[in-house]
């Protein structure tokens, strides 16, 4: 009898009720963002800004229709020049290509790898604090021209 009880207990499925207090995390908002591909080699993003709500999970697909490689970095507000200088300094780093031309910095919140022409890369992230977050490409020589702003609103 004891074996039968243990056998039944081990195969039982326990269903716990959910309460109204339990919050389901919101589904990720899917956003497409791309480099500008026409004319080729423009070194710009197709849009100058993106707007999202603070705390909203984001699935950002970065597409590269250009003839050049690009990456996408989302930075802490007010750090474009600082991260850009670090990107410029990577020109003397023999490992820069392996690093995807993404400098090491706490000011970089999210980044893609280098995206080849005709390819794409997906970033999943959530930003909880409202503000203007710079978006740049740090492939050599690009960051000064290839920038946008991620506006995170309440």
């Amino acid at each position: 009898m004891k074996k039968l009880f243990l056998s039944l207990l081990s195969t039982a499925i326990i269903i716990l009720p959910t309460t109204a207090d339990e919050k389901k995390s919101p589904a990720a908002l899917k956003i497409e963002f791309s480099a500008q591909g026409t004319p080729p080699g423009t070194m710009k993003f197709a849009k100058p800004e993106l707007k999202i709500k603070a705390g909203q999970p984001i699935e950002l697909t970065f597409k590269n229709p250009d003839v050049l490689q690009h990456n996408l970095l989302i930075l802490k507000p007010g750090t474009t020049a600082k991260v850009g200088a670090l990107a410029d300094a990577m020109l003397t780093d023999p490992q820069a290509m392996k690093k995807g031309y993404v400098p090491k910095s706490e000011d970089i919140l999210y980044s893609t790898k280098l995206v080849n022409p005709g390819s794409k890369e997906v970033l999943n992230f959530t930003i909880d604090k409202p503000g203007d977050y710079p978006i740049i490409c740090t492939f050599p020589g690009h960051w000064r021209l290839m920038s946008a702003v991620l506006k995170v609103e309440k």
Side-chain angles (χ1 to χ4, degrees), residues 10-32:
S10 68
T11 58
I13 298 173
I14 300 172
I15 300 174
L16 299 174
T18 58
T19 65
D21 293 336
E22 291 177 347
K23 294 181 180 178
K24 290 184 179 179
S25 58
L29 176 64
K30 295 182 181 198
I31 298 173
E32 288 191 1

Side-chain angles (χ1 to χ4, degrees), residues 115-144:
V115 180
N116 288 321
S119 297
K120 63 184 174 181
E121 179 79 10
V122 176
L123 280 180
N124 290 287
F125 62 91
T126 303
I127 298 178
D128 293 322
K129 187 177 176 186
D132 291 345
Y133 293 79
I135 300 172
I136 64 172
C137 171
T138 55
F139 190 83
H142 291 200
W143 73 269
R144 286 180 183 83

Side-chain angles (χ1 to χ4, degrees), residues 78-104:
T79 62
T80 302
K82 184 177 171 183
V83 174
L86 292 171
D88 288 344
M90 291 189 82
L91 288 173
T92 60
D93 181 351
Q95 300 298 313
M97 183 69 145
K98 286 183 182 178
K99 296 174 184 176
Y101 292 102
V102 177
K104 188 171 183 164

Side-chain angles (χ1 to χ4, degrees), residues 9-79:
L9 183 61
S10 68
T11 58
I13 298 173
I14 300 172
I15 300 174
L16 299 174
T18 58
T19 65
D21 293 336
E22 291 177 347
K23 294 181 180 178
K24 290 184 179 179
S25 58
L29 176 64
K30 295 182 181 198
I31 298 173
E32 288 191 1
F33 193 68
S34 68
Q36 186 171 319
T38 306
T42 305
M43 293 192 297
K44 289 189 177 186
F45 290 113
K47 297 177 188 174
E49 73 178 31
L50 291 173
K51 289 183 182 180
I52 64 170
K53 295 284 184 192
Q56 170 71 54
I58 303 297
E59 180 181 295
L60 186 143
T61 301
F62 174 57
K63 294 183 176 182
N64 183 10
D66 198 13
V67 296
L68 304 172
Q69 286 183 311
H70 297 294
N71 62 16
L72 181 146
L73 284 66
I74 299 173
L75 312 177
K76 290 180 180 176
T79 62

